[in-house]
Amino acid sequence: METTGEPTVIVGRVGRRFTNALTMTFVDAPGDPVATVRQGGAGGFGGRFAIALGLRNHGPGRHLMQTREGERVVTASGYNSPSTIERRGSTVATVSCGATTTVTGAGGVVLYTIEPDPDRASTADVRRMLVRGDGGATVARVDVILASSGWDISPGEVLGFGLALATEGLGALVSEGTPRGGSLPIRILGTRLVLVGPVAEEQRDLLLGLCVDLAVGGRQYVAAA
């Protein structure tokens, strides 16, 4: 991913395959997506059958993400247990949910804490949160889109995105267009990840894995508004 001083906005939209399994496509500009995701069930055939019946609309399972650089990242979403993120076959993070959420790496080192955004209130349409890194610095903002109006961006947010809009296109960031398939409704429409500064590829992949956990896995990282 090209690194600049401008915020980077990555929009992830949830869709469905005709098998009713969820998909997710992350974009940051016109052209090839940043990554694509396919929902995986927990428990082999039983898990796949539950997905087909709509019993795992947004739930536990091993969800596979393929990045445009060719990396495979697996988000293993838990239910009443922590989720994990795997990259290159190794677990790189464990996600423990609560009123706020803690993301720990190898050896129990805290990588991120995720909390409600104090400057942007959550609503019934969008759940807004901050990702903080070492020392409490803000690494990213994450919006979980719960209704089509949640894709809307306020004038203040447009100014905050700065030149990112000039290169990525406002339509790509606010459009509610979502690839559709299958026969069941989609309860969580996607995520909007705003990186406040440059990040390494592996850090970006981890943050996208968290977005998969929120949208495909249906995890709740902060207390509901």
Side-chain angles (χ1 to χ4, degrees), residues 98-123:
T100 61
T101 288
T102 302
V103 182
T104 55
V109 176
V110 175
L111 302 175
Y112 304 121
T113 56
I114 302 171
E115 62 188 52
D117 191 327
D119 300 318
R120 304 180 309 133
S122 294
T123 68

Side-chain angles (χ1 to χ4, degrees), residues 144-168:
V144 179
I145 310 301
L146 306 175
S148 59
S149 57
W151 291 118
D152 295 342
I153 298 176
S154 70
E157 287 178 301
V158 170
L159 292 175
F161 293 157
L163 293 179
L165 291 178
T167 57
E168 294 157 22

Side-chain angles (χ1 to χ4, degrees), residues 4-73:
T4 71
E6 293 292 331
T8 299
V9 184
I10 303 178
V11 171
R13 293 189 179 84
V14 175
R16 269 196 192 283
R17 305 177 75 186
F18 288 102
T19 59
N20 281 324
L22 295 175
T23 63
M24 197 168 183
T25 302
F26 291 102
V27 298
D28 63 350
D32 292 339
V34 178
T36 56
V37 179
R38 183 178 71 249
Q39 179 188 16
F45 175 78
R48 293 192 296 273
F49 188 60
I51 288 173
L53 293 178
L55 302 178
R56 296 271 176 84
N57 259 3
H58 301 269
R62 291 177 58 82
H63 315 307
L64 174 63
M65 178 171 70
Q66 187 87 27
T67 74
R68 64 185 169 202
E69 294 84 9
E71 295 289 347
R72 291 166 58 90
V73 179

Side-chain angles (χ1 to χ4, degrees), residues 1 36 49 51 74 82 95-96 102 121 133 146 155 177 180-181 191 212 222 224:
M1 181 176 62
T36 56
F49 188 60
I51 288 173
V74 175
V95 186
S96 300
T102 302
L146 306 175
R180 297 284 176 167
T191 60
V212 173
V222 299

Side-chain angles (χ1 to χ4, degrees), residues 84-109:
T84 60
I85 311 292
E86 302 168 18
R87 190 174 187 269
R88 298 187 177 181
S90 298
T91 298
V92 296
T94 300
V95 186
S96 300
C97 301
T100 61
T101 288
T102 302
V103 182
T104 55
V109 176

Side-chain angles (χ1 to χ4, degrees), residues 111-112 130-134 136-141 194-197 199 203 207:
L111 302 175
Y112 304 121
L130 284 183
V131 181
R132 296 191 186 273
D134 186 37
T138 299
V139 174
R141 304 199 308 264
V194 182
L195 304 173
V196 301
V199 299
Q203 186 180 10
L207 291 167

